Amino acid sequence: MHCERFICILRILGTTLFGVSLLLGITAAYIVGYQFIQTDNYYFSFGLYGAILASHLIIQSLFAFLEHRKMKRSLETPIKLNKTVALCIAAYQEDPDYLRKCLLSVKRLTYPGIKVIMVIDGNSEDDIYMMDIFSEIMGRDKSVTYIWRNNFHEKGPGETEESHKESMQHVTQLVLSNKSICIMQKWGGKREVMYTAFKALGRSVDYVQVCDSDTMLDPASSVEMVKVLEEDPMVGGVGGDVQVDMVKFRLTEQY
């Protein structure tokens, strides 16, 4: 552990010194203006300044190639997918088409045994359509749904401390005992939605993956992210390559 930290410090110092040296060298070469090759009318010239820039470009390209080869080799290394993963989806008044696309992409995930938890921020009649879509896509016989009058931090109307505690335990048990579950809860914002999923999961899984209800996931996204986490114990979190749907952006922008 100490050796890895020492190597990391050396890399930081080396990179910093290299950058400073390069900057000073380029500045000095520009001021001096020394030329190796030049034509009579300076239509073509190659001097110290150009040589340093060319060397920098070659060195950058070399290290980029080596790093790319290293990453490719590490991703191709087979790993045992024996870590448990839970996918938490935050939903709030989502467009039905985008929610369907999101859940269909979730069904195509190739990670074995992944648990899916969708928490809806709101429990009114206007929010039920999201729960219906979840049951439709994930399978009514393979998923569980629950309408919660409250959330972990706020009680529902006419609820006591004791009933609130019992409902929290019930939600936790539902999350732990089911592979696919959708919970509608009292409005509290996105942080409250994510808190419900994290709190109910506790330490029951090794990794937690999160996404919004309008996100379409690549089938291999969970597998590839777990690979990165398993490859390097110094990595505590990893994000995917997120691309914006410009059609939706334009439609949203009009409102």
Side-chain angles (χ1 to χ4, degrees), residues 106-251:
V106 169
K107 287 195 70 175
R108 290 193 291 265
L109 291 174
T110 57
Y111 197 91
I114 188 169
K115 181 190 287 284
V116 180
I117 307 164
M118 187 171 88
V119 184
I120 299 171
D121 192 20
N123 56 5
S124 67
E125 292 184 0
D126 295 335
D127 301 310
I128 293 179
Y129 75 94
M130 290 180 282
M131 180 173 283
D132 292 337
I133 293 174
F134 183 88
S135 298
E136 172 193 336
I137 302 298
M138 305 306 292
R140 299 185 187 278
D141 57 335
K142 298 179 180 179
S143 60
V144 174
T145 59
Y146 179 67
I147 300 177
W148 198 10
R149 292 188 301 169
N150 46 28
N151 55 47
F152 272 99
H153 292 102
E154 292 185 38
K155 297 190 295 292
E159 192 171 31
T160 64
E161 289 290 342
E162 185 64 26
S163 62
H164 185 211
K165 184 177 179 181
E166 290 177 358
S167 68
M168 288 191 291
Q169 292 174 347
H170 181 62
V171 167
T172 301
Q173 188 58 39
L174 285 174
V175 170
L176 294 178
S177 58
N178 291 280
K179 183 181 175 183
S180 178
I181 180 170
C182 176
I183 299 171
M184 288 176 59
Q185 67 177 29
K186 181 180 176 65
W187 181 86
K190 185 173 182 179
R191 284 186 294 181
E192 189 65 41
V193 166
M194 301 310 298
Y195 183 86
T196 295
F198 295 158
K199 181 68 175 178
L201 282 170
R203 297 185 178 182
S204 62
V205 294
D206 296 303
Y207 297 120
V208 177
Q209 181 181 353
V210 298
C211 76
D212 289 336
S213 54
D214 59 352
T215 303
M216 288 178 284
L217 300 170
D218 186 278
S221 59
S222 302
V223 172
E224 294 302 325
M225 287 194 282
V226 169
K227 278 185 179 181
V228 175
L229 292 167
E230 289 292 288
E231 177 72 21
D232 189 349
M234 298 297 291
V235 176
V238 60
D241 179 14
V242 181
Q243 299 179 3
V244 179
D245 187 335
M246 295 307 295
V247 175
K248 180 181 180 184
F249 177 75
R250 285 195 295 270
L251 291 173

